[in-house]
Amino acid sequence: MSISSPAPTLLVLLPGMDGTARLFHRFDAALRAQTAIETQAIAYPAAPLDYAALEAFVRARLPQDRPFVVLAESFSGPLGAALRADPPPGMRALILCCAFVRNPRPLLTPLRHLLGMVPFGALPGFALRQALLAPYATPALQAELTAALAQVPPSVLRQRLRAVLEIPEKDTSPSFARGSLPVLYLRARHDRLVPPANALQILCLAPGTQLVDIDAPHMLLQAAPAAAADAVAAFVNGLSAAQESD
């Protein structure tokens, strides 16, 4: 009689502000090249939903039959925080990548009322490259970013940015701090959107958080997929080893 081996660890990927999950392919390939970790990406609806609606959407699509780890990229940080605060069955840990649980740029909060004037559909490519990819922009990465954003209506991007700017009014940090699941934070050394001190907030809210710095821009998983895969694999394998020793 043979004994079946346990299924490989599942990593659930929550995307950045584009919400398409199209930008994970480089990281996914790097991860599969060196580990048995499987991935499941959850793409968000192309609709102007707030964080509460997106949380409900994500929870309804999480695995029901196996343990998993959640990786929340950038915009999805508050969703990852909400899942850690009230973890669904099977969730073992949280990975935050260039993410936040509070508005990372609070000085911009008063400008949320002006978002209707921002031409999201006509933002120049140079500005996006500088904010998201510099100094690691390549023609291939630029094309992938442009293609992903082209799938998202400007009204949806506007609502997602508004949700970020309004986080202080619906602060997720107290509930996040009460959570007990292990946390890994991937910080990009050249992030021009999320300040480096943001990671220190995470460390204060969740003592014991593992912090890994990677030479990358805000789009860390896309610009440095191999380094990100190394860090994620070490963290996830460490969880498995700890569970086996218990």
Side-chain angles (χ1 to χ4, degrees):
M1 179 179 177
S2 62
I3 299 177
S4 60
S5 58
T9 300
L10 182 65
L11 183 66
V12 177
L13 305 173
L14 303 183
M17 189 168 289
D18 68 287
T20 64
R22 292 169 56 115
L23 296 172
F24 286 128
H25 71 96
R26 292 173 182 269
F27 169 71
D28 185 62
L31 194 63
R32 290 174 183 269
Q34 60 169 290
T35 74
I37 298 173
E38 298 178 353
T39 61
Q40 172 191 333
I42 298 179
Y44 301 151
L49 305 178
D50 60 14
Y51 273 123
L54 285 173
E55 180 187 345
F57 179 87
V58 168
R59 285 185 180 275
R61 286 157 179 80
L62 292 172
Q64 302 291 319
D65 58 351
R66 61 189 294 189
F68 61 93
V69 174
V70 171
L71 187 157
E73 180 185 32
S74 186
F75 168 81
S76 289
L79 299 176
L83 294 175
R84 182 180 189 262
D86 183 16
M91 183 172 172
R92 295 292 180 261
L94 172 65
I95 300 172
L96 296 171
C97 180
C98 298
F100 44 84
V101 299
R102 298 173 178 171
N103 176 2
R105 297 287 183 179
L107 294 179
L108 298 180
T109 299
L111 301 181
R112 67 188 185 278
H113 302 298
L114 303 177
L115 288 176
M117 302 171 59
V118 178
F120 281 90
L123 288 176
F126 175 77
L128 289 175
R129 291 195 298 271
Q130 289 299 109
L132 301 175
L133 288 169
Y136 293 84
T138 65
L141 285 174
Q142 294 169 29
E144 291 168 13
L145 173 60
T146 299
L149 292 176
Q151 303 298 312
V152 190
S155 61
V156 174
L157 292 174
R158 187 175 291 112
Q159 169 57 35
R160 289 175 184 166
L161 181 54
R162 179 178 291 111
V164 172
L165 295 179
E166 291 178 348
I167 290 175
E169 298 177 6
K170 310 167 185 177
D171 199 355
T172 60
S173 56
S175 56
F176 172 72
R178 290 193 294 270
S180 60
L181 295 182
V183 179
L184 167 66
Y185 191 95
L186 302 180
R187 180 169 61 180
R189 291 193 175 99
H190 306 283
D191 195 332
R192 298 186 177 186
L193 286 185
V194 178
N198 177 77
L200 302 181
Q201 294 179 351
I202 302 296
L203 291 171
C204 290
L205 293 169
T209 293
Q210 296 183 35
L211 174 63
V212 175
D213 284 317
I214 295 177
D215 284 321
H218 182 71
M219 292 182 64
L220 185 155
L221 298 179
Q222 295 72 33
D230 286 343
V232 169
F235 177 71
V236 172
N237 291 336
L239 293 173
S240 300
Q243 291 171 359
E244 291 175 359
S245 63
D246 288 343

